[in-house]
Amino acid sequence: MSARPRPLSPHLQVYRWTITMAMSIVHRATGIANAAGFVLLVLWLVAAAAGDPMFGAVNGLFGSWFGQLVLFGFTWSLTHHMLGGIRHFIWDTGAMMEPGRREAIAWATLVGSVVITLVIWLVFVWVG
């Protein structure tokens, strides 16, 4: 009796990458990133409660180019995760599940998150 090769389960090489697949993965990643970002928010609040020396140090860190980059990424992560949640809510109602519309709302999530992040930073950081 010869051993037959076992069937292989589907692997990433079998699937064609789609925007909905990528946005699903990014939605999960932004959820994790948001947890890390909220740790930064707690750090800032604790520093504010601790007094001027610690608050000044944390503000100095967040005001550096690296801190600004991290905060910009956190802002994008929040907006992308929010829009991804709205996308999933829409899909839960059964709307926009047709192939063309499914991709369109996934692209809208990505583009919308970038635009909203830029508007937030333009209004509240760069101009304000």
Side-chain angles (χ1 to χ4, degrees):
M1 178 177 256
S2 65
R4 289 185 6 201
R6 295 181 51 159
L8 299 176
S9 62
H11 190 264
L12 292 177
Q13 297 166 342
V14 175
Y15 294 110
R16 179 181 57 89
W17 278 90
T18 62
I19 186 66
T20 54
M21 181 189 300
M23 289 301 98
S24 176
I25 293 167
V26 171
H27 184 75
R28 294 164 199 257
T30 56
I32 294 167
N34 288 344
F38 284 121
V39 170
L40 296 176
L41 176 62
V42 168
L43 174 68
W44 184 75
L45 291 172
V46 167
D52 285 338
M54 188 171 175
F55 188 63
V58 171
N59 274 343
L61 175 66
F62 288 169
S64 70
W65 69 269
F66 181 73
Q68 293 287 293
L69 184 66
V70 169
L71 292 175
F72 186 85
F74 180 47
T75 307
W76 176 80
S77 178
L78 285 171
T79 58
H80 189 278
H81 197 76
M82 176 194 65
L83 292 177
I86 293 170
R87 182 185 76 231
H88 281 281
F89 178 74
I90 290 169
W91 284 348
D92 286 345
T93 67
M96 299 198 71
M97 290 300 291
E98 299 81 20
R101 296 179 79 191
R102 200 171 48 233
E103 284 79 15
I105 196 170
W107 278 109
T109 300
L110 181 60
V111 172
S113 66
V114 171
V115 169
I116 291 170
T117 300
L118 289 173
V119 167
I120 288 170
W121 274 71
L122 180 68
V123 170
F124 294 107
V125 180
W126 295 326
V127 173

